[in-house]
Amino acid sequence: MRASSSLAKQQGFAGSGVDALASAAGLTSGAFYRHFEGKGELLSAIIETELEATRSRFSTIEPRNEEQLYLAIDAYLSLAHVRHPESGCVLPTLASEIGRAPAETKEVFERALLELLAVLSEKVGDASAAFALLNQCVGAVMIARGLATDSAKRQVLEAARKSARESISSLSRAADRQATTDRR
């Protein structure tokens, strides 16, 4: 699964044929069809596997721990992530293809995304802010991947990092104020 996922994230799912996806996983096309009814079922499996891995990475962050959140955001909004889609998050690479997928695949995506957002909401302390941070980070990586120069990519990533850090810091200050008010 990991090898097929890496290929799909690197070359695009639609642009990767069944033979290439099967071969990346060490399977023949015949063996592929014994595991999956078709390419759409593989896309659903990739989505589930990849978003579960992302959710697991974020699960290790302590709730409302600014430093850990900053480190996670910095890693996500890095040139390494931009340059190596095959080893990064599935969202910036396959979200547009999922948008063209059948309803069943979109349902898998929605469920897995909501599970990821539940974890992010716990870590950030606010569901709406978690969704906004996710959108901002994914969008920044997508845009940076489309740019020609590293300096332009860095500019996009740095602007997103700065904004994300400001959002997290603002949420932390608000939580601290609320805790102080609650103790009175």
Side-chain angles (χ1 to χ4, degrees), residues 4-178:
S4 294
S5 179
S6 292
L7 180 67
K9 290 188 295 182
Q10 187 173 33
Q11 297 181 5
F13 189 79
S16 301
V18 169
D19 290 341
L21 291 165
S23 177
L27 300 172
T28 64
S29 295
F32 169 87
Y33 284 109
R34 281 192 289 282
H35 291 286
F36 302 101
E37 287 186 24
K39 202 172 165 186
E41 191 175 316
L42 174 61
L43 180 57
S44 292
I46 287 171
I47 292 164
E48 283 184 308
T49 301
E50 289 291 321
L51 289 179
E52 168 59 29
T54 301
R55 190 170 75 236
S56 292
R57 278 192 297 278
F58 279 97
S59 292
T60 64
I61 296 172
E62 295 172 26
R64 297 185 180 160
N65 184 312
E66 281 185 67
E67 289 307 313
Q68 289 180 358
L69 287 166
Y70 292 163
L71 288 172
I73 287 169
D74 289 350
Y76 195 94
L77 295 171
S78 69
L79 276 177
H81 189 204
V82 169
R83 290 179 180 149
H84 299 285
E86 72 280 3
S87 60
C89 178
V90 70
L91 295 173
T93 53
L94 297 181
S96 63
E97 294 190 58
I98 295 165
R100 294 185 294 272
E104 298 82 20
T105 302
K106 290 178 183 178
E107 289 167 5
V108 167
F109 175 69
E110 184 174 327
R111 182 184 42 73
L113 184 67
L114 291 174
E115 290 171 0
L116 171 60
L117 282 165
V119 169
L120 293 176
S121 295
E122 175 199 1
K123 305 310 175 183
V124 172
D126 181 271
S128 181
F131 218 148
L133 283 168
L134 178 67
N135 294 340
Q136 181 179 17
C137 290
V138 170
V141 171
M142 289 175 72
I143 290 169
R145 285 184 178 155
L147 299 173
T149 64
D150 280 352
S151 63
K153 292 173 186 180
R154 280 189 195 95
Q155 188 175 8
V156 167
L157 296 171
E158 183 54 39
R161 266 193 304 273
K162 180 180 178 190
S163 179
R165 284 174 170 259
E166 288 170 358
S167 294
I168 290 167
S169 179
S170 176
L171 286 168
S172 291
R173 286 191 308 273
D176 290 346
R177 282 192 302 274
Q178 184 63 45

